[in-house]
Amino acid sequence: GEDVEQSLFLSVREGDSSVINCTYTDSSSTYLYWYKQEPGAGLQLLTYIFSNMDMKQDQRLTVLLNKKDKHLSLRIADTQTGDSAIYFCAESYGGYQKVTFGTGTKLQVIP
Amino acid sequence: DVKVTQSSRYLVKRTGEKVFLECVQDMDHENMFWYRQDPGLGLRLIYFSYDVKMKEKGDIPEGYSVSREKKERFSLILESASTNQTSMYLCASTGTGIDEQYFGPGTRLTVT
């Protein structure tokens, strides 16, 4: 079955770049996603990448996809305290956007 | 700007009780989902529905059932709550666009 893995915790200083990593096992994934969950809130879709792309940039966010190694990363430039949250990597394939989520990485930004 | 709402933010129930968690979306989405979120396990799909009166089992359906009588409402039912169902429950709805994904704020359920 599908398996999506992330490290549980990352701590960075305000202003530095954050890199959150994710590995997945399903080579038939169509889309890969990054979600943000702020304390006490539901998930918010941050960005996504189609499986035939290598990179996607959206303002401070850069997503890199290495299909050969089944590795996805999210880089947040100039990390701010408001970026403190749990970040989930996820993948989907087929219809109905059925999504398989990773374990989540808690990002702590130190002022 | 409310998109997906859940009936309760916090709920405390006793073992054996029947529990209803309600989710409502106002975007006319076909697809709705129920997940549970546990630390270190991420989100796991319980059930999903792609149309009124239609339902599909997710990865962990045991101990749960669902109901979708109207397009905007998707209910999760715990027929006889157990302590191992203590968790955060998240509802989501999705539209046709890949970025049309919205989550509710979650219901933290404690079963004692």
Side-chain angles (χ1 to χ4, degrees), chain B:
Chain B
D1 191 43
V2 172
K3 297 185 186 300
V4 181
T5 57
Q6 295 184 229
S7 50
S8 305
R9 293 300 303 270
Y10 300 93
L11 211 51
V12 180
K13 295 291 182 180
R14 293 198 178 275
T15 302
E17 279 193 82
K18 189 168 186 175
V19 182
F20 292 86
L21 303 182
E22 303 285 334
C23 174
V24 178
Q25 51 95 2
D26 63 0
M27 295 163 286
D28 202 36
H29 283 166
E30 302 287 344
N31 309 316
M32 296 187 74
F33 305 79
W34 274 107
Y35 297 91
R36 65 176 281 176
Q37 180 181 3
D38 299 290
L41 295 177
L43 274 71
R44 292 178 291 166
L45 181 63
I46 304 171
Y47 268 96
F48 65 102
S49 168
Y50 51 88
D51 202 353
V52 174
K53 296 192 185 296
M54 304 299 285
K55 61 185 178 184
E56 293 280 345
K57 291 181 181 179
D59 300 316
I60 51 163
E62 295 79 17
Y64 303 94
S65 62
V66 290
S67 172
R68 185 135 182 234
E69 296 297 318
K70 292 185 178 181
K71 191 175 187 180
E72 67 269 20
R73 188 179 298 268
F74 192 34
S75 303
L76 180 69
I77 303 153
L78 287 67
E79 294 289 342
S80 177
S82 63
T83 54
N84 63 12
Q85 293 177 310
T86 290
S87 187
M88 171 71 87
Y89 290 87
L90 291 168
C91 175
S93 73
T94 65
T96 52
I98 195 68
D99 55 351
E100 289 182 66
Q101 303 182 33
Y102 299 94
F103 283 79
T107 296
R108 185 165 293 283
L109 172 68
T110 302
V111 182
T112 62

Side-chain angles (χ1 to χ4, degrees), chain A residues 2 4 8 30-31 33 35 37 39-45 48 86 88 92 95-104, chain B residues 9 31 33 35 37 40-43 45 48 50 57-59 90 94-106:
Chain A
E2 311 87 16
V4 181
L8 290 181
T30 310
Y31 286 96
Y33 310 83
Y35 298 82
Q37 184 181 36
L43 273 69
Q44 170 197 356
L45 177 64
Y48 62 93
I86 301 175
F88 290 93
S92 71
Y96 310 122
Q97 297 156 344
K98 187 174 169 230
V99 179
T100 300
F101 289 85
T103 51
Chain B
R9 293 300 303 270
N31 309 316
F33 305 79
Y35 297 91
Q37 180 181 3
L41 295 177
L43 274 71
L45 181 63
F48 65 102
Y50 51 88
K57 291 181 181 179
D59 300 316
L90 291 168
T94 65
T96 52
I98 195 68
D99 55 351
E100 289 182 66
Q101 303 182 33
Y102 299 94
F103 283 79

